[in-house]
Amino acid sequence: MDIELRGITKRFGPVVANSDVNLTIRAGEILGLLGENGAGKTTLMNVLSGLYRPDEGEILIDGKPTRFEGAGDAIRAGIGMVHQHFMLVPVFTVAENVVLGVEPTGRLDHLDIATAREQVRAIGAEHGLVVDPDAIIEEVPVGVQQRVEIIKVLFRSADVLIFDEPTAVLTPQEVEDFFGIIRSLRDAGKALVFITHKLFEILEVADRISVLRGGKIVGEGDPKTATEAELAEMMVGRPVSFTVDKKPAVPRRPMIEVRNLKVMNDRHEVAVNDVSFAVRAGEVVGIAGVQGNGQTELVEALTGLRSAIAGSVVFHDEDITHASARHRHKLGMAHVPEDRQREGLIETFTLAENMVLDSYYDEPYSTGIRMHWPKVETEAARIITDFDVRTSSVFELADHLSGGNQQKLVVAREMSRDIQVLIASQPTRGVDVGSIEYIHKRIIAARDAEVGVLIVSTELDEIRALSDRVLVMYRGRVVAEFDAAAATVAELGLAMAGATA
Amino acid sequence: MAVTDTAPVTTADIELARRRQKKVNGVILLGLAVFVAVAFGATSEGNAVFRLTLPRDAISIPNLVVPAAPYAYIVAGLLAFFGIRQFMRGGGRSTNVFLGIGLLLVVTAFLTWATAGKSFSLTGMLESTMVRAVPIALGGLAGVLSERVAVVNIAIEGMLLAGAFAGALIGSVLGGFVGILGAVAIGGLFGFILAALVVTHRVDQIIAGVAINLFVLGLTSYVSSQVLTKYTWLNNAPVFRPIDIPLLSDLPVIGPVLFRQNLFVYGALIMVLVATYYLFHTRSGLRARAVGEHPEAADTLGIDVYRTRYINVTIAGMVAGFGGAWFTLGSVGRFDEGMTGGRGYIGLAAMIFGRWHPVGALMAALVFGFADSLQQKLAILHTPIPSEFLAMAPYIATIVLVAGLIGRARPPAADGQPYIKE
Ligand SMILES: Nc1ncnc2c1ncn2[C@@H]1O[C@H](COP(=O)(O)OP(=O)(O)OP(=O)(O)O)[C@@H](O)[C@H]1O
Ligand SMILES: [Mg+2]
């Protein structure tokens, strides 16, 4: 099935998210879609999947103009989408999520969950997507959730599959598996759209590349000949540096000392087991590890979101093991959480409000019970321009930002304060190359200003580029420590897989 | 490369965090043991006679005679045993179960104490428990149906009242069955109005609900004082009499409690079963729950969020309307101003205690019904405690039960939030 988007324009009030976009998607081909944060990629794909109605332009399926009144129409036409922010019901099982909307039923509208289970298994077996149909979504790791999303689309026998930043939450191994899956789908004659901010991924799997900027198509690329630098420049409109310039670290006194820390996860299992390390002022410590090896719980314990069952956390000379999140914040601790939508911001608040979520209660943003909104708004505007958050105004709702811009908003808030320690999980998840360059620069600048920085990332490149020291977590323990300058990807990878040298 | 050892996680680690909770439960149980011994054991004498047979019963079984003081001491002993066991060993998974059993024992000890030296119809009380649970269960069920699609339904109180009013008025003129139909229709109408306000016009859900409640209260009070007092034949509806289910109604104790009731009791039980089937075993139920948990996801799969909400909230209104008819057609046959007396709100509490599940709501409603009927019967027994105060005990027990036994209830994730497309 071939799709042609012709002259698509989509506006949100004054914001033109897509302007006169022409794009063709062909059967048996993977189309890579690139573009900086807020370029309009998600919006364009939401138009194609029937969620948004375009203000102008039309969609042609195999040459025939088609109108979608809702997502149901697009699904029936064979178009399926895996969304940037997962569209799964957390309390439902895998099977229930997969069949939702196209359920197998018996008499009396009876939901035939046994058949659903079988169908999920069958599709999984056919495409190498192993999942337990009875697992509850909120209890499985994101990698599995991603698989469920793919099975969902396949279950509706879609001929056109859209993947909006599917690899942002996957581990390198999962990314490889994912590539295998989409290649085999392509070879089976499906049309695929793949959106990502990782240029090497596009070069690896795409057959054709289109680049969006400011809502318009600004160029095409051939993955056989294009280079990352060319693509980056096409996206951002200026040359981008992929390496982080930094001087050797000059570590000073310890800012945070973690001693024999033990933390439970939600399932009452020990997630962080007897971990000890220190982060000193003026150094970047990276924590590498495959998702789900205790990093999340460690960060939550450090930032006061989860209580430790044993051990201690010392900040300067103060024991903060049981201190509240606000107290830690006041001491100068900044936290970029791994899930921006759940823990980083309030989507129904404006950007200005989100900008002071952590500091609204004090000077200069308020005195007593009185908020100083003009002050909040001007500060927010300043910070937003600094970090290049693309938006029409500080009065816009956070919900209306593109995914990468939401991420930038959180990073901007946390880094625009006088801080002593920065704890950042996946700081650049979903952020475009241009902004990654900027955020990395700021992190190194913070380090040089004697901030102690702890970066947790599943992205090895990011860890290696930023860190001075790398700790590897495996099954709740720190199993290895490397000097970042000397460590090789192979060594790190082995340690992450739990191999002891 | 420095490598530390990777010792496996031990079960001792896992136990660590749970242990404290278990200790707390142990202390509570021990405290209850002391309380039962001192308050009930030391102060009661004679036997408590529980009558199990009602005058009309086909088969009569002997009374249950319980020596009050010894029973209290036995209960205290059991509680102490559970408590110490809990405290010492931490009791594993069953820790909350023991707390639940313990509380149940306390209630029985209390009843025995109150009845000591007197006789008391246990079956009669259970029978009225069932009856009194009906409006609360139906209110709770209406709450479940609408909150499962994420519409908070404060308007249940108003819907009950409207159903009671319509039942009385229409029932007086056109007979009981038409009265029920009228009550269901009026309830459904208010459900639809609520949906229109909160789904389409995005009025705050609480405000919309309160507005409906005030409107219904004002309107029914006005009509009842201005019209119904003058034309009393408009407020003289037939009452549905109990229907005996053949054979089953002859069983001792459970016969009168379950199988010698009127249409409303049977109706409520059937609706709870149907609603459970609907919500958890049908396609429409799955979609409804998806809309309540993650409307955006439902939308991306082509499920019409607005339509689903309209339908479910309207059905919820119909259920509440039926529950409202109980007040008039199922009990006294006439309408009085504000006669629902907050049962709609108690229904909402039952919904929460029942964890947004129809059966849970029914169970919670039974506890409230028990409290209601206990308070009544205790007034007859002349206990030294003011009956209002006594009536609080079961509510407190409910709260403890729910907090201790069931744990934190989790409402549908999108509960109370309007859904805005694009
Ligand atoms: N519902 C909405 N209301 C208002 N503006 C919106 C809405 N959705 C998107 N926008 C705006 O449209 C523009 C394009 O957003 P879109 O989400 O398509 O970007 P994107 O290319 O997917 O970016 P990212 O890489 O960060 O995900 C942005 O400026 C965004 O703020
Ligand atoms: Mg996007």
Side-chain angles (χ1 to χ4, degrees):
Chain A
M1 199 162 92
D2 295 343
I3 303 262
E4 192 184 340
L5 297 172
R6 207 180 270 170
I8 299 286
T9 297
K10 175 71 194 169
R11 299 185 195 93
F12 297 104
V15 180
V16 186
N18 294 140
S19 129
D20 194 20
V21 175
N22 296 308
L23 193 73
T24 42
I25 301 162
R26 297 191 202 107
E29 205 179 67
I30 299 174
L31 170 68
L33 191 55
L34 285 177
E36 57 185 343
N37 296 129
K41 305 178 295 293
T42 300
T43 305
L44 187 64
M45 292 302 118
N46 279 339
V47 167
L48 177 53
S49 63
L51 279 174
Y52 293 165
R53 252 161 268 171
D55 296 308
E56 282 156 42
E58 54 183 0
I59 300 169
L60 293 90
I61 299 182
D62 288 331
K64 276 197 296 293
T66 318
R67 259 187 81 80
F68 297 143
E69 290 302 325
D73 289 350
I75 292 170
R76 275 184 289 278
I79 297 170
M81 176 158 172
V82 173
H83 293 264
Q84 184 170 6
H85 300 118
F86 289 159
M87 292 295 172
L88 297 168
V89 182
V91 295
F92 281 11
T93 65
V94 168
E96 285 170 339
N97 267 290
V98 169
V99 299
L100 189 60
V102 284
E103 306 84 350
T105 46
R107 280 181 28 225
L108 283 175
D109 199 36
H110 187 267
L111 180 67
D112 189 352
I113 201 72
T115 306
R117 227 176 261 144
E118 275 322 300
Q119 288 167 328
V120 170
R121 281 213 187 87
I123 293 184
E126 188 185 337
H127 298 277
L129 295 156
V130 188
V131 286
D132 169 12
D134 292 316
I136 305 285
I137 287 297
E138 63 187 350
E139 289 171 3
V140 302
V142 276
V144 175
Q145 296 185 2
Q146 177 75 267
R147 260 177 261 164
V148 177
E149 284 281 23
I150 300 174
I151 294 178
K152 240 167 89 176
V153 176
L154 294 172
F155 184 74
R156 287 160 180 73
S157 39
D159 295 312
V160 179
L161 289 85
I162 304 163
F163 293 95
D164 194 354
E165 293 190 39
T167 53
V169 293
L170 298 184
T171 61
Q173 183 50 48
E174 286 169 330
V175 170
E176 276 313 310
D177 296 346
F178 173 73
F179 285 170
I181 292 163
I182 60 171
R183 284 201 188 97
S184 78
L185 289 171
R186 171 193 60 196
D187 297 341
K190 310 253 182 213
L192 296 113
V193 181
F194 173 46
I195 299 175
T196 182
H197 286 295
K198 297 173 197 163
L199 302 172
F200 67 92
E201 292 182 350
I202 284 269
L203 291 175
E204 190 180 334
V205 289
D207 299 306
R208 212 150 49 84
I209 299 172
S210 287
V211 181
L212 269 174
R213 175 156 29 108
K216 295 194 183 67
I217 295 280
V218 291
E220 313 253 312
D222 179 353
K224 283 188 214 68
T225 55
T227 64
E228 290 192 30
E230 279 167 28
L231 291 174
E233 185 164 351
M234 208 190 286
M235 271 170 70
V236 190
R238 63 174 169 86
V240 178
S241 148
F242 292 98
T243 50
V244 181
D245 289 328
K246 57 173 188 182
K247 300 188 291 288
V250 194
R252 289 155 209 265
R253 68 193 179 290
M255 298 296 289
I256 285 228
E257 272 179 278
V258 177
R259 295 186 194 130
N260 306 100
L261 195 69
K262 203 175 252 192
V263 186
M264 300 270 208
N265 63 17
D266 292 332
R267 292 185 296 279
H268 297 287
E269 296 152 1
V270 175
V272 177
N273 198 1
D274 203 13
V275 164
S276 305
F277 64 88
V279 180
R280 286 167 294 175
E283 73 169 346
V284 179
V285 176
I287 293 196
V290 176
Q291 181 105 34
N293 275 285
Q295 304 97 313
T296 308
E297 288 79 6
L298 173 65
V299 167
E300 286 177 351
L302 292 181
T303 51
L305 301 178
R306 187 180 283 274
S307 55
I309 56 168
S312 61
V313 181
V314 178
F315 187 103
H316 273 300
D317 291 317
E318 185 181 343
D319 185 328
I320 57 161
T321 319
H322 303 290
S324 67
R326 178 172 288 186
H327 183 72
R328 294 175 208 229
H329 177 269
K330 278 187 171 160
L331 289 174
M333 182 187 277
H335 174 209
V336 178
E338 74 178 351
D339 186 338
R340 56 186 172 237
Q341 295 201 325
R342 222 180 38 170
E343 282 158 351
L345 26 89
I346 299 179
E347 290 180 82
T348 51
F349 277 20
T350 65
L351 302 196
E353 286 164 342
N354 270 295
M355 211 42 118
V356 293
L357 276 187
D358 56 349
S359 47
Y360 66 89
Y361 54 83
D362 217 349
E363 300 280 357
Y365 301 124
S366 63
T367 345
I369 57 166
R370 217 163 64 82
M371 288 294 299
H372 304 307
W373 286 115
K375 179 83 191 153
V376 172
E377 284 144 14
T378 40
E379 264 308 283
R382 188 181 63 76
I383 298 169
I384 281 168
T385 7
D386 268 5
F387 279 79
D388 191 25
V389 177
R390 302 286 169 89
T391 177
S392 49
S393 87
V394 294
F395 303 105
E396 189 66 86
L397 296 183
D399 200 16
H400 291 165
L401 287 184
S402 78
N405 280 308
Q406 290 181 347
Q407 181 72 27
K408 289 197 267 178
L409 179 70
V410 176
V411 175
R413 177 184 67 217
E414 296 302 320
M415 295 198 62
S416 304
R417 192 160 63 84
D418 192 12
I419 55 172
Q420 310 225 25
V421 166
L422 170 66
I423 298 175
S425 289
Q426 321 290 351
T428 57
R429 176 174 280 176
V431 172
D432 68 44
V433 281
S435 299
I436 289 179
E437 183 190 9
Y438 181 72
I439 291 176
H440 283 180
K441 225 186 259 168
R442 288 289 298 246
I443 290 177
I444 294 304
R447 177 199 78 167
D448 293 342
E450 291 189 23
V451 171
V453 183
L454 184 69
I455 301 287
V456 179
S457 178
T458 49
E459 216 66 56
L460 273 188
D461 289 336
E462 175 157 60
I463 289 272
R464 290 179 60 222
L466 285 175
S467 313
D468 302 308
R469 270 191 308 136
V470 182
L471 308 177
V472 177
M473 273 188 88
Y474 178 73
R475 295 226 183 139
R477 287 173 182 272
V478 171
V479 291
E481 177 173 344
F482 296 90
D483 177 1
T488 66
V489 175
E491 278 176 325
L492 285 168
L494 267 179
M496 282 165 64
T500 45
Chain B
M1 161 173 164
V3 176
T4 47
D5 71 314
T6 48
V9 172
T10 63
T11 41
D13 292 327
I14 300 170
E15 279 303 304
L16 209 83
R18 289 189 193 159
R19 209 166 292 153
R20 201 174 305 151
Q21 175 60 35
K22 286 165 193 156
K23 288 235 164 97
V24 172
N25 284 356
V27 171
I28 293 176
L29 284 166
L30 283 174
L32 286 173
V34 172
F35 173 74
V36 167
V38 173
F40 302 153
T43 60
S44 52
E45 44 192 79
N47 290 338
V49 179
F50 293 106
R51 278 178 279 124
L52 298 177
T53 310
L54 292 182
R56 246 161 42 78
D57 278 4
I59 307 164
S60 88
I61 53 170
N63 293 336
L64 188 66
V65 180
V66 183
Y71 181 72
Y73 287 123
I74 292 173
V75 168
L78 278 172
L79 289 170
F81 172 70
F82 289 162
I84 290 170
R85 188 173 164 279
Q86 199 71 248
F87 205 77
M88 306 287 289
R89 303 202 346 208
R93 270 167 195 278
S94 51
T95 166
N96 283 333
V97 177
F98 278 106
L99 190 61
I101 295 173
L103 287 170
L104 206 67
L105 283 174
V106 174
V107 173
T108 62
F110 168 72
L111 259 182
T112 313
W113 167 78
T115 318
K118 286 164 245 171
S119 103
F120 176 70
S121 171
L122 192 62
T123 307
M125 192 187 66
L126 292 179
E127 187 189 19
S128 81
T129 294
M130 198 70 211
V131 172
R132 281 158 192 281
V134 165
I136 299 171
L138 289 169
L141 183 59
V144 171
L145 288 171
S146 55
E147 295 213 359
R148 279 288 179 174
V149 292
V151 175
V152 171
N153 194 345
I154 289 286
I156 289 170
E157 177 72 8
M159 293 170 180
L160 286 178
L161 195 60
F165 180 80
L169 186 67
I170 300 172
S172 302
V173 181
L174 298 169
F177 283 104
V178 185
I180 290 186
L181 286 182
V184 169
I186 288 290
L189 175 68
F190 279 109
F192 186 83
I193 292 172
L194 178 68
L197 288 175
V198 305
V199 177
T200 306
H201 299 289
R202 293 190 208 123
V203 177
D204 182 275
Q205 302 192 347
I206 305 295
I207 292 176
V210 170
I212 289 180
N213 288 346
L214 292 177
F215 171 75
V216 174
L217 183 65
L219 188 71
T220 56
S221 300
Y222 174 78
V223 176
S224 124
S225 65
Q226 297 298 311
V227 181
L228 298 188
T229 44
K230 269 189 221 130
Y231 308 95
T232 48
W233 58 275
L234 281 177
N235 194 7
N236 185 18
V239 174
F240 282 87
R241 297 281 154 220
I243 306 164
D244 292 3
I245 308 275
L247 298 179
L248 290 175
S249 61
D250 292 336
L251 292 172
V253 188
I254 59 166
V257 174
L258 281 180
F259 302 110
R260 214 184 284 163
Q261 299 281 16
N262 70 17
L263 186 83
F264 288 94
V265 176
Y266 299 136
L269 293 176
I270 292 170
M271 282 184 195
V272 165
L273 292 180
V274 172
T276 306
Y277 175 75
Y278 160 70
L279 280 174
F280 301 102
H281 299 280
T282 69
R283 170 174 63 182
S284 335
L286 186 77
R287 292 180 177 187
R289 285 185 292 132
V291 164
E293 292 287 346
H294 198 332
E296 234 178 322
D299 196 16
T300 61
L301 297 172
I303 294 167
D304 190 331
V305 175
Y306 294 166
R307 224 186 75 156
T308 312
R309 289 193 174 166
Y310 263 95
I311 292 175
N312 279 272
V313 175
T314 303
I315 294 175
M318 292 164 78
V319 170
F322 177 74
W326 173 89
F327 289 94
T328 49
L329 299 172
S331 127
V332 292
R334 45 165 294 143
F335 181 81
D336 292 314
E337 285 178 33
M339 73 188 302
T340 49
R343 298 295 207 299
Y345 300 118
I346 298 181
L348 279 177
M351 166 195 77
I352 295 169
F353 290 167
R355 312 193 93 189
W356 286 267
H357 191 293
V359 175
L362 173 66
M363 293 303 164
L366 284 172
V367 174
F368 287 121
F370 182 80
D372 214 354
S373 91
L374 186 69
Q375 174 197 16
Q376 281 244 318
K377 307 278 167 176
L378 284 177
I380 307 169
L381 286 176
H382 299 295
T383 48
I385 312 173
S387 71
E388 292 84 358
F389 192 73
L390 284 176
M392 279 165 47
Y395 289 96
I396 294 169
T398 312
I399 292 166
V400 177
L401 263 166
V402 169
L405 252 181
I406 307 182
R408 207 171 73 88
R410 196 164 72 165
D415 207 5
Q417 297 161 17
Y419 180 63
I420 304 166
K421 269 183 90 110
E422 292 201 12

